[in-house]
Amino acid sequence: MKLKNVLKGSFIMMAAALLLGFVASCSNDDDDNTPGAGKTHKVVFKAEASAGSNIEIAVYGIDGNPTTASSLSGTTWTSPEITSEAGAYNANVAVNAIGPNASATLKVQIWVDGQLKKEGTSSGQYLSASASHTF
């Protein structure tokens, strides 16, 4: 009988310690530090090529939801403004262009909430520039 009470008491103490440890570990979690947690963002992607170049295709998106803009022309391109979902993790853009010669340049940019966050460049006659931004 005495052994049964000791085992029962030990079991209750272990269960209480495990429960207390679990609760204490969870109380220190701070999900607000997770990138993109709970916030939406206004995102715009831009590309600018040097004179005489021709932007041909752009692939852009947020969190693996790409959009392809093809049959483009000219030296500049701007995406429509995209509102990210709350908790989105990253934004990506890749643009291809053809320049008039080997000294041509291409610059792509990611603008988030009206601020330039990331930029990528390329140079040469066959241009491919990309950029990625983590919220």
Side-chain angles (χ1 to χ4, degrees), residues 68-135:
T68 302
S70 57
S71 301
L72 302 174
S73 63
T75 58
T76 61
W77 167 81
T78 302
S79 75
E81 183 177 79
I82 300 170
T83 301
S84 71
E85 294 181 17
Y89 186 73
N90 66 5
N92 300 293
V93 62
V95 177
N96 291 340
I98 296 179
N101 54 46
S103 64
T105 60
L106 173 64
K107 174 175 58 176
V108 295
Q109 299 175 327
I110 300 175
W111 291 77
V112 179
D113 299 328
Q115 296 181 339
L116 177 61
K117 293 295 185 176
K118 208 61 151 189
E119 190 170 81
T121 59
S122 176
S123 61
Q125 186 168 9
Y126 300 99
L127 302 159
S128 182
S130 63
S132 180
H133 171 69
T134 302
F135 297 112

Side-chain angles (χ1 to χ4, degrees), residues 45-79:
F45 303 94
K46 296 182 180 184
E48 183 179 342
S50 57
S53 299
N54 194 44
I55 296 173
E56 296 186 330
I57 190 167
V59 180
Y60 60 97
I62 299 172
D63 282 350
N65 295 314
T67 299
T68 302
S70 57
S71 301
L72 302 174
S73 63
T75 58
T76 61
W77 167 81
T78 302
S79 75

